[in-house]
Amino acid sequence: MSASPLPAPRLPVVGWNTFSGPLEAPVPTLLAHPRQVLTTSGRAAILLALECLAVGPEDVVLLPSYHCPTMVSPVMTLGAEAVFYPIDEHGAPRLDWLTAHVPARTRALLVPHYFGLPQPMDTVRAWCDARGIALIEDCAHAMFGRAGARAIGSWGDVSIASLTKFFPTPEGGVLALNRADLRLPDLSPVSRIDQVKAASDILHMGAAHDRLPGLNGLIRGAFALKSGLRALLRGERPAATPVPSRHGDLDEDQEIDANMALIDLPLSHRALTRASGWISTRVPRRRIVEARRRNYTFFTEAFAGCDGVHALLPALPADCAPYVFPLWVRTPDPGYAEMRRLGVPVSRWDRLWPGVPALPGDVGKAWSHHVLQLACHQDLTDEDLRRIVAEVKRLFVGPAAPSVPTDIAAAAVTPG
């Protein structure tokens, strides 16, 4: 595979490799759940999950202290109250704290599988059952895998996931129901314009990252022509065609602000476009799982023994496909801003929802500052991975850091 210069894609992009390899993955996927529906986003799926559970004003939803605003805004949109709970060093809820502090009006507890590494859910399930509290299993980071004896997404009363984190789609989420008394929502149809736009955005993202040899120039030229014609019609000077993204042309702060806003209810109740649904359900999955595991292990080995950084969770469970590689950085600023400026595919949950308290035994607030989420998806090239490691070491470790491995394939790990 030819090397691609940074910026590398932060999320998967379509390419000829997208369609290679066996269809089935060696681990379960939430897309095989018998009662699921595809939604416009993971955030929309959370909103729909809350509606399925009849959450409304006066109700309390328990949320982790370490979170993305997309977990909180659906609660606020429905007028419910978000109460934040502490997590332990593995990302699991501190049930002792919850037992002592759970509000009487609690309707639901949301528990994420952080970074795509499955959390043990049996004790959480038992805790919820004993109190009549619904469990929302947040699989936004965990499209594939097993949590204990069950497939990912099988523990919650309702479960949600995000398609964009694992597939080259401009939008998409999953809502799955495990309780027989709950009913899947009816979603509104998609307009023809939105159907066409989704398909064209998928192709444009792939061509913009040179992942469709033979068609890259043709696709980029077509979009440049369309953009130029639009500019001329508006009396403006033609500019470079922006690469489509799942969040438009927002920078990180704008993206977070958008996620903190109340949700567009009609959009959340819209069905997924056919192009996004087709890509998510029809492309081969084994490559996705194996490449992500290989890349996660490569990062673990590349940062071993480094002063100033280390793998937050170096042990990769056998039955999972990671979303990102969580890297603990002793002094993340100002280096993190520089990584973003350079286009390194990295993110950080440093903008927590206002009012998150300091809680005993909680690591959530520390994670929000010190943990960088490095992309490890299947559409990063070997050169992308080496450059990510090199930038991390340059910014956070220094010149005495161990050298970057050259044989990334040697870091491959296959699920058991």
Side-chain angles (χ1 to χ4, degrees), residues 137-223:
E137 187 178 355
D138 187 338
C139 307
H141 286 190
M143 181 62 64
F144 301 90
R146 292 184 183 87
R150 302 186 193 178
I152 283 288
S154 300
W155 290 97
D157 295 84
V158 293
S159 300
I160 69 94
S162 172
L163 296 175
T164 58
K165 293 177 174 61
F166 287 85
F167 302 97
T169 65
E171 61 173 358
V174 184
L175 170 69
L177 306 182
N178 292 308
R179 245 173 56 188
D181 62 312
L182 300 179
R183 178 178 173 272
L184 287 170
D186 295 320
L187 302 179
S188 59
V190 183
S191 70
R192 290 184 179 180
I193 292 177
D194 286 335
Q195 297 280 17
V196 172
K197 185 177 186 303
S200 63
D201 281 352
I202 290 171
L203 293 174
H204 191 191
M205 281 189 288
H209 289 281
D210 290 325
R211 304 307 168 94
L212 293 165
L215 292 180
N216 290 323
L218 180 64
I219 294 171
R220 289 198 298 261
F223 277 93

Side-chain angles (χ1 to χ4, degrees), residues 29-264:
T29 173
L30 191 58
L31 289 171
H33 194 286
R35 296 184 64 212
Q36 49 95 357
V37 64
L38 302 183
T39 68
T40 56
S41 67
R43 187 166 77 144
I46 294 176
L47 178 78
L48 295 169
L50 294 170
E51 290 182 339
C52 285
L53 298 170
V55 171
E58 307 303 324
D59 289 327
V60 168
V61 179
L62 300 170
L63 301 171
S65 60
Y66 182 63
H67 57 265
C68 171
T70 56
M71 298 179 189
V72 190
S73 59
V75 177
M76 301 303 184
T77 298
L78 295 178
E81 180 184 355
V83 171
F84 297 96
Y85 65 80
I87 60 172
D88 67 19
E89 64 276 12
H90 301 290
R94 289 201 171 272
L95 295 181
D96 54 347
W97 186 94
L98 283 168
T99 299
H101 296 90
V102 60
R105 296 179 289 112
T106 299
R107 177 62 65 90
L109 166 69
L110 183 145
V111 178
H113 297 288
Y114 289 119
F115 320 120
L117 280 60
Q119 290 290 334
M121 300 294 288
D122 49 351
T123 55
V124 176
R125 178 72 267 174
W127 186 91
C128 289
D129 289 342
R131 292 160 179 80
I133 294 173
L135 174 59
I136 302 174
E137 187 178 355
D138 187 338
C139 307
H141 286 190
M143 181 62 64
F144 301 90
R146 292 184 183 87
R150 302 186 193 178
I152 283 288
S154 300
W155 290 97
D157 295 84
V158 293
S159 300
I160 69 94
S162 172
L163 296 175
T164 58
K165 293 177 174 61
F166 287 85
F167 302 97
T169 65
E171 61 173 358
V174 184
L175 170 69
L177 306 182
N178 292 308
R179 245 173 56 188
D181 62 312
L182 300 179
R183 178 178 173 272
L184 287 170
D186 295 320
L187 302 179
S188 59
V190 183
S191 70
R192 290 184 179 180
I193 292 177
D194 286 335
Q195 297 280 17
V196 172
K197 185 177 186 303
S200 63
D201 281 352
I202 290 171
L203 293 174
H204 191 191
M205 281 189 288
H209 289 281
D210 290 325
R211 304 307 168 94
L212 293 165
L215 292 180
N216 290 323
L218 180 64
I219 294 171
R220 289 198 298 261
F223 277 93
L225 178 61
K226 183 181 75 170
S227 179
L229 289 174
R230 284 183 175 177
L232 289 173
L233 290 173
R234 293 193 298 263
E236 301 172 354
R237 187 174 183 176
T241 307
V243 178
S245 76
R246 294 144 180 87
H247 301 284
D249 300 320
L250 305 181
D251 63 24
E252 186 177 31
D253 286 338
Q254 291 172 326
E255 179 181 320
I256 293 172
D257 288 340
N259 287 336
M260 283 186 166
L262 296 185
I263 296 175
D264 182 331

Side-chain angles (χ1 to χ4, degrees), residues 90 117 296-297 299-301 304 310-317 325-326 413:
H90 301 290
L117 280 60
Y296 191 102
T297 304
F299 282 142
T300 300
E301 295 180 356
H310 66 264
L312 180 71
L313 300 168
L316 183 62
F325 178 83
V413 172

